[in-house]
Amino acid sequence: MPSMNPGWFRQHPTKVNVSTLIGRHNARRYDLNRNFPDFFIPNTKQSQPETEAVKEWISKIQFVLSGSLHGGALVASYPFDNTPSASPLNAVFQRYSPTPSIAPDDDVFRHLSLVYSTNHAKMSRGVSCRSHVPFKDGITNGAAWYPLTGGMQDYNYLWHGCMEITLELSCCKYPPAHELPKYWADNQQALIKYLAEAHRGAHGFVMDENGNPVERAAVRVKGRDVTYHTTKYGEFWRILLPGNYRLDVSAEGYIPQEVEFVVIDSHPTLLNVTLHSAKRIDNGGYYRPLAPRPPPAPAPGFFASITNSFQNLVNNFLG
C-alpha cells in the first residue's frame, strides 16, 4: 500500500516538513495512526474511511508479516504501543518513566526489529534525531517510547494475528523526492531480510476427518495468549523462534487438539492438524471451545503507579 493518507498528500503534493505535526492528519484532520480499535482502552475517535478500507483489506487477506513505514525518527518500534493505564495523565509521566508494554510474542517482535535495524545502513547505531534520545540497537518497545491509543500495529497483531512493527525511516518527516534513492539504498537490504522472516516458524492446514478445510479454527501457541484463525482454506501461519512448542487448535463442533512441535532456524515447520467432529451434547449444541484469553497486562512503572494512586484519590474526593 503506497500511502494510507493520500488525501493530505493530494492537497500538499510538494510539502516538505521536518516536524512530526504537520501532515499527520487526513483531509478531515484525523490522525489515522490513532484511529484503529484498541485492546487496552476504547478508542472513541470516529473511524475514518481510510481506516475502514484498511480494516476491510486486512480482514480479507490473512497477512503474516507487516511493516508500517513512517518518518520522523530512525528506529524499529514493536508492540505494544499502548498500556492498560494509558490515560493522558499517565502518558505525561510515561515520558519520564518509560515502561515497556510487553506482548506475548515479545521475543519474536524484538527479533524482527533487530533483523531490520541490523540490516539497515545506520539504524542499529541508535542515531538520535532532534528531540529523541538514542535507541539501543535501533529498536524500541512502542509504549516504552511513548504510549498511544488506536495504533495500527497493535490492531493488526491482536485482531488479525499479523506480526507488524513500525519502521521509522528518516529524521525528516517528509523528505523531498530527490532524496528517495538514498533512502532506498539505506533500506533495501533491511526490507528484503525482513520480508524473508515470514518464512520462519510453523505453518500448515487444519482439516476435518474428511479432508475438508476448517475455516476460522482458533490456533494458539501455549504460553502465548494471542489467538490466530485459519483461512477459508484451513491455512495458518505462526512466526516463532527456534524451540519446542505446543499448539492448541479448536473450532465450533470439533474436538480440540493439542499438538507438540519443534521450530528450527533453517526452514519453517510444516504442521497439519486434523479435527474430529464432536458429538452433540445434551442441550443439542456442539462442543464450544473456550474464548481466547487476553494477553496479560504488563506491570505499571513507578510513575504510572503514582499516577494511578493520584487518580484514585481524586475520584474518591470528587465522588
Side-chain angles (χ1 to χ4, degrees), residues 192-244:
I192 293 171
K193 293 289 188 180
Y194 181 73
L195 291 175
E197 291 298 307
H199 299 287
R200 173 185 294 281
H203 72 100
F205 293 84
V206 177
M207 315 293 282
D208 65 17
E209 59 264 66
N210 298 313
N212 300 311
V214 179
E215 183 178 1
R216 296 289 299 172
V219 178
R220 183 169 62 195
V221 176
K222 274 191 173 295
R224 297 171 185 258
D225 290 332
V226 173
T227 300
Y228 289 45
H229 291 92
T230 56
T231 68
K232 64 181 179 180
Y233 304 109
E235 299 167 288
F236 70 91
W237 299 264
R238 194 67 166 85
I239 299 178
L240 295 164
L241 300 184
N244 298 310

Short mmCIF file of all heavy atoms in Angstrom, two decimals, residues 192-244:
data_model
loop_
_atom_site.label_atom_id
_atom_site.label_comp_id
_atom_site.label_asym_id
_atom_site.label_seq_id
_atom_site.Cartn_x
_atom_site.Cartn_y
_atom_site.Cartn_z
N ILE A 192 14.39 -6.58 2.41
CA ILE A 192 14.45 -7.95 1.89
C ILE A 192 14.60 -8.96 3.03
O ILE A 192 13.90 -9.98 3.09
CB ILE A 192 15.60 -8.08 0.87
CG1 ILE A 192 15.30 -7.24 -0.37
CG2 ILE A 192 15.81 -9.55 0.49
CD1 ILE A 192 16.46 -7.14 -1.34
N LYS A 193 15.51 -8.68 3.95
CA LYS A 193 15.73 -9.58 5.07
C LYS A 193 14.49 -9.67 5.96
O LYS A 193 14.15 -10.75 6.48
CB LYS A 193 16.93 -9.11 5.90
CG LYS A 193 18.27 -9.22 5.18
CD LYS A 193 18.70 -10.67 5.02
CE LYS A 193 20.12 -10.76 4.48
NZ LYS A 193 20.55 -12.18 4.32
N TYR A 194 13.83 -8.54 6.13
CA TYR A 194 12.63 -8.53 6.98
C TYR A 194 11.52 -9.37 6.36
O TYR A 194 10.88 -10.17 7.04
CB TYR A 194 12.17 -7.09 7.19
CG TYR A 194 10.95 -6.96 8.07
CD1 TYR A 194 11.03 -7.17 9.44
CD2 TYR A 194 9.70 -6.65 7.53
CE1 TYR A 194 9.91 -7.07 10.25
CE2 TYR A 194 8.58 -6.54 8.33
CZ TYR A 194 8.69 -6.75 9.69
OH TYR A 194 7.58 -6.65 10.48
N LEU A 195 11.28 -9.20 5.07
CA LEU A 195 10.22 -9.96 4.40
C LEU A 195 10.48 -11.46 4.47
O LEU A 195 9.55 -12.27 4.56
CB LEU A 195 10.10 -9.51 2.94
CG LEU A 195 9.54 -8.11 2.72
CD1 LEU A 195 9.58 -7.75 1.24
CD2 LEU A 195 8.11 -7.99 3.24
N ALA A 196 11.75 -11.85 4.44
CA ALA A 196 12.10 -13.28 4.50
C ALA A 196 11.70 -13.91 5.83
O ALA A 196 11.53 -15.14 5.92
CB ALA A 196 13.59 -13.47 4.26
N GLU A 197 11.50 -13.09 6.86
CA GLU A 197 11.12 -13.63 8.17
C GLU A 197 9.71 -14.21 8.18
O GLU A 197 9.33 -14.92 9.11
CB GLU A 197 11.23 -12.53 9.23
CG GLU A 197 12.66 -12.10 9.53
CD GLU A 197 13.50 -13.23 10.10
OE1 GLU A 197 13.07 -13.85 11.08
OE2 GLU A 197 14.58 -13.50 9.53
N ALA A 198 8.93 -13.93 7.14
CA ALA A 198 7.60 -14.53 7.04
C ALA A 198 7.69 -16.05 6.90
O ALA A 198 6.70 -16.77 7.15
CB ALA A 198 6.84 -13.94 5.85
N HIS A 199 8.86 -16.55 6.51
CA HIS A 199 9.05 -17.99 6.32
C HIS A 199 9.70 -18.64 7.54
O HIS A 199 10.29 -19.71 7.44
CB HIS A 199 9.90 -18.24 5.08
CG HIS A 199 9.27 -17.72 3.83
ND1 HIS A 199 8.19 -18.33 3.23
CD2 HIS A 199 9.55 -16.63 3.08
CE1 HIS A 199 7.84 -17.64 2.16
NE2 HIS A 199 8.64 -16.60 2.04
N ARG A 200 9.57 -18.01 8.68
CA ARG A 200 10.11 -18.56 9.93
C ARG A 200 8.95 -19.08 10.78
O ARG A 200 7.87 -18.51 10.79
CB ARG A 200 10.86 -17.47 10.69
CG ARG A 200 11.32 -17.86 12.08
CD ARG A 200 11.94 -16.70 12.82
NE ARG A 200 13.17 -16.27 12.18
CZ ARG A 200 14.34 -16.87 12.33
NH1 ARG A 200 14.45 -17.95 13.09
NH2 ARG A 200 15.42 -16.40 11.72
N GLY A 201 9.17 -20.17 11.52
CA GLY A 201 8.17 -20.64 12.46
C GLY A 201 7.44 -21.88 11.99
O GLY A 201 8.07 -22.87 11.59
N ALA A 202 6.11 -21.84 12.04
CA ALA A 202 5.30 -23.01 11.67
C ALA A 202 4.14 -22.58 10.79
O ALA A 202 3.61 -21.48 10.93
CB ALA A 202 4.77 -23.70 12.93
N HIS A 203 3.77 -23.46 9.88
CA HIS A 203 2.59 -23.22 9.05
C HIS A 203 1.99 -24.57 8.68
O HIS A 203 2.63 -25.61 8.78
CB HIS A 203 2.95 -22.44 7.78
CG HIS A 203 3.71 -23.25 6.77
ND1 HIS A 203 3.11 -23.81 5.66
CD2 HIS A 203 5.01 -23.61 6.72
CE1 HIS A 203 4.03 -24.47 4.96
NE2 HIS A 203 5.19 -24.36 5.58
N GLY A 204 0.73 -24.54 8.29
CA GLY A 204 0.08 -25.79 7.92
C GLY A 204 -1.39 -25.59 7.66
O GLY A 204 -1.86 -24.48 7.40
N PHE A 205 -2.14 -26.71 7.75
CA PHE A 205 -3.57 -26.70 7.47
C PHE A 205 -4.31 -27.39 8.61
O PHE A 205 -3.82 -28.34 9.20
CB PHE A 205 -3.87 -27.44 6.16
CG PHE A 205 -3.33 -26.77 4.93
CD1 PHE A 205 -2.02 -26.98 4.54
CD2 PHE A 205 -4.13 -25.92 4.18
CE1 PHE A 205 -1.51 -26.36 3.40
CE2 PHE A 205 -3.63 -25.30 3.05
CZ PHE A 205 -2.32 -25.52 2.65
N VAL A 206 -5.51 -26.89 8.87
CA VAL A 206 -6.43 -27.56 9.79
C VAL A 206 -7.56 -28.13 8.95
O VAL A 206 -8.27 -27.38 8.26
CB VAL A 206 -6.97 -26.59 10.86
CG1 VAL A 206 -7.97 -27.31 11.76
CG2 VAL A 206 -5.82 -26.02 11.69
N MET A 207 -7.71 -29.46 8.99
CA MET A 207 -8.72 -30.15 8.17
C MET A 207 -9.61 -30.99 9.07
O MET A 207 -9.24 -31.33 10.20
CB MET A 207 -8.02 -31.05 7.14
CG MET A 207 -6.85 -30.42 6.41
SD MET A 207 -7.32 -29.07 5.31
CE MET A 207 -7.96 -30.00 3.92
N ASP A 208 -10.79 -31.34 8.55
CA ASP A 208 -11.62 -32.28 9.30
C ASP A 208 -11.26 -33.71 8.88
O ASP A 208 -10.37 -33.93 8.06
CB ASP A 208 -13.11 -31.98 9.10
CG ASP A 208 -13.58 -32.19 7.66
OD1 ASP A 208 -12.88 -32.86 6.87
OD2 ASP A 208 -14.67 -31.69 7.32
N GLU A 209 -11.96 -34.69 9.46
CA GLU A 209 -11.60 -36.09 9.21
C GLU A 209 -11.85 -36.51 7.76
O GLU A 209 -11.35 -37.55 7.31
CB GLU A 209 -12.36 -37.02 10.16
CG GLU A 209 -13.87 -36.93 10.07
CD GLU A 209 -14.46 -36.01 11.11
OE1 GLU A 209 -14.17 -34.79 11.01
OE2 GLU A 209 -15.20 -36.47 11.98
N ASN A 210 -12.59 -35.70 7.01
CA ASN A 210 -12.85 -36.00 5.60
C ASN A 210 -11.94 -35.23 4.66
O ASN A 210 -12.12 -35.26 3.44
CB ASN A 210 -14.31 -35.69 5.27
CG ASN A 210 -15.28 -36.53 6.07
OD1 ASN A 210 -15.10 -37.76 6.18
ND2 ASN A 210 -16.29 -35.91 6.65
N GLY A 211 -10.97 -34.51 5.24
CA GLY A 211 -10.03 -33.77 4.41
C GLY A 211 -10.52 -32.41 3.97
O GLY A 211 -9.91 -31.78 3.10
N ASN A 212 -11.60 -31.92 4.57
CA ASN A 212 -12.12 -30.60 4.22
C ASN A 212 -11.49 -29.54 5.12
O ASN A 212 -11.28 -29.77 6.32
CB ASN A 212 -13.64 -30.56 4.40
CG ASN A 212 -14.34 -31.57 3.51
OD1 ASN A 212 -14.07 -31.65 2.32
ND2 ASN A 212 -15.23 -32.37 4.10
N PRO A 213 -11.18 -28.37 4.58
CA PRO A 213 -10.58 -27.32 5.41
C PRO A 213 -11.54 -26.82 6.47
O PRO A 213 -12.75 -26.73 6.24
CB PRO A 213 -10.24 -26.22 4.40
CG PRO A 213 -11.15 -26.46 3.24
CD PRO A 213 -11.35 -27.94 3.17
N VAL A 214 -11.01 -26.52 7.64
CA VAL A 214 -11.81 -25.95 8.73
C VAL A 214 -11.49 -24.46 8.79
O VAL A 214 -10.39 -24.06 9.18
CB VAL A 214 -11.49 -26.62 10.08
CG1 VAL A 214 -12.31 -25.99 11.20
CG2 VAL A 214 -11.75 -28.12 10.00
N GLU A 215 -12.45 -23.66 8.38
CA GLU A 215 -12.26 -22.21 8.37
C GLU A 215 -12.50 -21.63 9.75
O GLU A 215 -13.35 -22.10 10.50
CB GLU A 215 -13.21 -21.56 7.37
CG GLU A 215 -13.04 -20.06 7.22
CD GLU A 215 -13.99 -19.46 6.19
OE1 GLU A 215 -14.78 -20.21 5.60
OE2 GLU A 215 -13.92 -18.23 5.98
N ARG A 216 -11.72 -20.61 10.10
CA ARG A 216 -11.84 -19.89 11.37
C ARG A 216 -11.57 -20.77 12.58
O ARG A 216 -12.06 -20.50 13.68
CB ARG A 216 -13.22 -19.24 11.51
CG ARG A 216 -13.53 -18.16 10.49
CD ARG A 216 -12.73 -16.91 10.72
NE ARG A 216 -13.00 -16.30 12.02
CZ ARG A 216 -12.31 -15.28 12.53
NH1 ARG A 216 -11.28 -14.78 11.86
NH2 ARG A 216 -12.61 -14.78 13.71
N ALA A 217 -10.80 -21.83 12.40
CA ALA A 217 -10.35 -22.60 13.56
C ALA A 217 -9.42 -21.72 14.39
O ALA A 217 -8.60 -20.97 13.85
CB ALA A 217 -9.64 -23.87 13.13
N ALA A 218 -9.55 -21.79 15.70
CA ALA A 218 -8.70 -21.00 16.59
C ALA A 218 -7.38 -21.72 16.82
O ALA A 218 -7.37 -22.89 17.22
CB ALA A 218 -9.42 -20.76 17.92
N VAL A 219 -6.29 -21.03 16.58
CA VAL A 219 -4.95 -21.60 16.71
C VAL A 219 -4.18 -20.76 17.72
O VAL A 219 -4.02 -19.55 17.54
CB VAL A 219 -4.23 -21.60 15.34
CG1 VAL A 219 -2.82 -22.14 15.48
CG2 VAL A 219 -5.02 -22.41 14.32
N ARG A 220 -3.71 -21.41 18.78
CA ARG A 220 -3.00 -20.67 19.82
C ARG A 220 -1.82 -21.48 20.34
O ARG A 220 -1.96 -22.66 20.67
CB ARG A 220 -3.94 -20.33 20.97
CG ARG A 220 -3.29 -19.48 22.06
CD ARG A 220 -4.30 -18.94 23.04
NE ARG A 220 -5.00 -19.99 23.75
CZ ARG A 220 -6.12 -19.81 24.44
NH1 ARG A 220 -6.68 -18.63 24.45
NH2 ARG A 220 -6.68 -20.81 25.07
N VAL A 221 -0.66 -20.84 20.39
CA VAL A 221 0.53 -21.48 20.96
C VAL A 221 0.46 -21.34 22.47
O VAL A 221 0.24 -20.25 23.00
CB VAL A 221 1.81 -20.81 20.41
CG1 VAL A 221 3.05 -21.41 21.08
CG2 VAL A 221 1.89 -20.99 18.90
N LYS A 222 0.63 -22.44 23.17
CA LYS A 222 0.56 -22.41 24.63
C LYS A 222 1.60 -21.45 25.19
O LYS A 222 2.75 -21.44 24.77
CB LYS A 222 0.79 -23.81 25.20
CG LYS A 222 -0.45 -24.66 25.30
CD LYS A 222 -0.21 -25.91 26.11
CE LYS A 222 -1.50 -26.68 26.36
NZ LYS A 222 -2.44 -25.95 27.19
N GLY A 223 1.16 -20.65 26.16
CA GLY A 223 2.05 -19.66 26.75
C GLY A 223 2.07 -18.35 26.02
O GLY A 223 2.72 -17.40 26.47
N ARG A 224 1.38 -18.27 24.89
CA ARG A 224 1.30 -17.04 24.11
C ARG A 224 -0.18 -16.76 23.85
O ARG A 224 -0.77 -17.31 22.92
CB ARG A 224 2.07 -17.17 22.79
CG ARG A 224 3.56 -17.40 23.01
CD ARG A 224 4.29 -17.74 21.73
NE ARG A 224 5.68 -18.06 22.03
CZ ARG A 224 6.70 -17.23 21.84
NH1 ARG A 224 6.49 -16.04 21.31
NH2 ARG A 224 7.93 -17.59 22.16
N ASP A 225 -0.76 -15.95 24.71
CA ASP A 225 -2.21 -15.79 24.71
C ASP A 225 -2.71 -14.84 23.63
O ASP A 225 -3.35 -13.82 23.90
CB ASP A 225 -2.68 -15.33 26.09
CG ASP A 225 -2.53 -16.41 27.14
OD1 ASP A 225 -2.59 -17.60 26.76
OD2 ASP A 225 -2.34 -16.10 28.32
N VAL A 226 -2.39 -15.17 22.41
CA VAL A 226 -2.94 -14.48 21.24
C VAL A 226 -3.46 -15.56 20.30
O VAL A 226 -2.74 -16.51 19.97
CB VAL A 226 -1.87 -13.62 20.53
CG1 VAL A 226 -2.42 -13.05 19.24
CG2 VAL A 226 -1.41 -12.50 21.44
N THR A 227 -4.71 -15.43 19.89
CA THR A 227 -5.34 -16.45 19.05
C THR A 227 -5.31 -16.04 17.59
O THR A 227 -5.68 -14.91 17.25
CB THR A 227 -6.79 -16.69 19.49
OG1 THR A 227 -6.80 -17.13 20.85
CG2 THR A 227 -7.45 -17.75 18.62
N TYR A 228 -4.85 -16.95 16.75
CA TYR A 228 -4.88 -16.77 15.30
C TYR A 228 -6.04 -17.61 14.76
O TYR A 228 -6.52 -18.53 15.43
CB TYR A 228 -3.58 -17.24 14.67
CG TYR A 228 -2.38 -16.35 14.95
CD1 TYR A 228 -2.11 -15.86 16.22
CD2 TYR A 228 -1.51 -16.01 13.93
CE1 TYR A 228 -1.02 -15.06 16.47
CE2 TYR A 228 -0.41 -15.20 14.17
CZ TYR A 228 -0.17 -14.74 15.44
OH TYR A 228 0.92 -13.94 15.68
N HIS A 229 -6.47 -17.33 13.53
CA HIS A 229 -7.54 -18.11 12.92
C HIS A 229 -7.15 -18.56 11.52
O HIS A 229 -6.42 -17.87 10.81
CB HIS A 229 -8.84 -17.29 12.86
CG HIS A 229 -9.44 -17.03 14.20
ND1 HIS A 229 -9.15 -15.91 14.93
CD2 HIS A 229 -10.31 -17.77 14.95
CE1 HIS A 229 -9.82 -15.95 16.08
NE2 HIS A 229 -10.52 -17.06 16.11
N THR A 230 -7.65 -19.72 11.16
CA THR A 230 -7.35 -20.27 9.84
C THR A 230 -8.15 -19.54 8.76
O THR A 230 -9.20 -18.97 9.01
CB THR A 230 -7.67 -21.77 9.79
OG1 THR A 230 -9.05 -21.96 10.15
CG2 THR A 230 -6.79 -22.55 10.74
N THR A 231 -7.63 -19.60 7.54
CA THR A 231 -8.31 -19.02 6.39
C THR A 231 -9.43 -19.95 5.92
O THR A 231 -9.65 -21.02 6.49
CB THR A 231 -7.32 -18.80 5.24
OG1 THR A 231 -6.92 -20.09 4.73
CG2 THR A 231 -6.09 -18.04 5.70
N LYS A 232 -10.09 -19.56 4.85
CA LYS A 232 -11.14 -20.42 4.30
C LYS A 232 -10.58 -21.72 3.74
O LYS A 232 -11.31 -22.68 3.50
CB LYS A 232 -11.93 -19.68 3.22
CG LYS A 232 -11.13 -19.29 1.99
CD LYS A 232 -12.01 -18.55 0.99
CE LYS A 232 -11.22 -18.13 -0.25
NZ LYS A 232 -12.10 -17.40 -1.21
N TYR A 233 -9.27 -21.75 3.52
CA TYR A 233 -8.61 -22.97 3.06
C TYR A 233 -8.05 -23.79 4.22
O TYR A 233 -7.38 -24.80 4.00
CB TYR A 233 -7.47 -22.63 2.10
CG TYR A 233 -7.91 -21.79 0.92
CD1 TYR A 233 -7.53 -20.45 0.82
CD2 TYR A 233 -8.71 -22.33 -0.09
CE1 TYR A 233 -7.94 -19.68 -0.26
CE2 TYR A 233 -9.13 -21.56 -1.16
CZ TYR A 233 -8.74 -20.24 -1.24
OH TYR A 233 -9.15 -19.47 -2.31
N GLY A 234 -8.29 -23.34 5.45
CA GLY A 234 -7.77 -24.03 6.61
C GLY A 234 -6.31 -23.73 6.91
O GLY A 234 -5.71 -24.36 7.79
N GLU A 235 -5.73 -22.75 6.23
CA GLU A 235 -4.31 -22.43 6.41
C GLU A 235 -4.07 -21.60 7.67
O GLU A 235 -4.92 -20.82 8.08
CB GLU A 235 -3.80 -21.62 5.22
CG GLU A 235 -3.89 -22.31 3.88
CD GLU A 235 -3.65 -21.32 2.75
OE1 GLU A 235 -4.53 -20.48 2.51
OE2 GLU A 235 -2.57 -21.40 2.14
N PHE A 236 -2.90 -21.77 8.22
CA PHE A 236 -2.44 -20.88 9.29
C PHE A 236 -0.93 -20.73 9.20
O PHE A 236 -0.23 -21.57 8.65
CB PHE A 236 -2.85 -21.40 10.68
CG PHE A 236 -2.10 -22.64 11.11
CD1 PHE A 236 -0.93 -22.56 11.85
CD2 PHE A 236 -2.57 -23.91 10.78
CE1 PHE A 236 -0.24 -23.70 12.25
CE2 PHE A 236 -1.90 -25.05 11.17
CZ PHE A 236 -0.73 -24.95 11.90
N TRP A 237 -0.45 -19.62 9.73
CA TRP A 237 0.98 -19.34 9.82
C TRP A 237 1.26 -18.80 11.22
O TRP A 237 0.42 -18.10 11.79
CB TRP A 237 1.42 -18.28 8.81
CG TRP A 237 1.21 -18.63 7.38
CD1 TRP A 237 2.12 -19.17 6.51
CD2 TRP A 237 0.01 -18.45 6.62
NE1 TRP A 237 1.57 -19.33 5.27
CE2 TRP A 237 0.26 -18.91 5.31
CE3 TRP A 237 -1.27 -17.96 6.92
CZ2 TRP A 237 -0.70 -18.88 4.31
CZ3 TRP A 237 -2.22 -17.94 5.93
CH2 TRP A 237 -1.94 -18.39 4.63
N ARG A 238 2.44 -19.11 11.73
CA ARG A 238 2.82 -18.58 13.05
C ARG A 238 4.32 -18.36 13.06
O ARG A 238 5.10 -19.31 12.97
CB ARG A 238 2.42 -19.59 14.14
CG ARG A 238 2.44 -19.03 15.55
CD ARG A 238 1.37 -17.99 15.75
NE ARG A 238 1.14 -17.68 17.15
CZ ARG A 238 1.86 -16.81 17.86
NH1 ARG A 238 2.86 -16.16 17.29
NH2 ARG A 238 1.57 -16.59 19.12
N ILE A 239 4.74 -17.09 13.11
CA ILE A 239 6.17 -16.78 13.17
C ILE A 239 6.66 -17.03 14.59
O ILE A 239 6.15 -16.45 15.55
CB ILE A 239 6.43 -15.32 12.76
CG1 ILE A 239 5.96 -15.08 11.32
CG2 ILE A 239 7.91 -14.98 12.89
CD1 ILE A 239 6.13 -13.64 10.85
N LEU A 240 7.66 -17.92 14.71
CA LEU A 240 8.22 -18.29 16.01
C LEU A 240 9.72 -18.47 15.88
O LEU A 240 10.23 -18.81 14.80
CB LEU A 240 7.60 -19.60 16.51
CG LEU A 240 6.10 -19.58 16.83
CD1 LEU A 240 5.56 -21.00 16.92
CD2 LEU A 240 5.83 -18.82 18.12
N LEU A 241 10.42 -18.27 16.97
CA LEU A 241 11.85 -18.52 17.01
C LEU A 241 12.11 -20.00 17.30
O LEU A 241 11.20 -20.72 17.76
CB LEU A 241 12.51 -17.64 18.08
CG LEU A 241 12.35 -16.13 17.90
CD1 LEU A 241 13.13 -15.39 18.98
CD2 LEU A 241 12.77 -15.68 16.52
N PRO A 242 13.31 -20.51 17.04
CA PRO A 242 13.58 -21.93 17.28
C PRO A 242 13.27 -22.34 18.72
O PRO A 242 13.55 -21.60 19.67
CB PRO A 242 15.08 -22.04 16.98
CG PRO A 242 15.34 -20.97 15.97
CD PRO A 242 14.45 -19.83 16.38
N GLY A 243 12.66 -23.52 18.87
CA GLY A 243 12.31 -24.01 20.20
C GLY A 243 11.23 -25.06 20.13
O GLY A 243 10.78 -25.46 19.04
N ASN A 244 10.81 -25.55 21.29
CA ASN A 244 9.75 -26.54 21.41
C ASN A 244 8.45 -25.85 21.82
O ASN A 244 8.44 -25.02 22.75
CB ASN A 244 10.12 -27.60 22.46
CG ASN A 244 11.38 -28.36 22.08
OD1 ASN A 244 11.50 -28.86 20.96
ND2 ASN A 244 12.33 -28.45 23.00
#
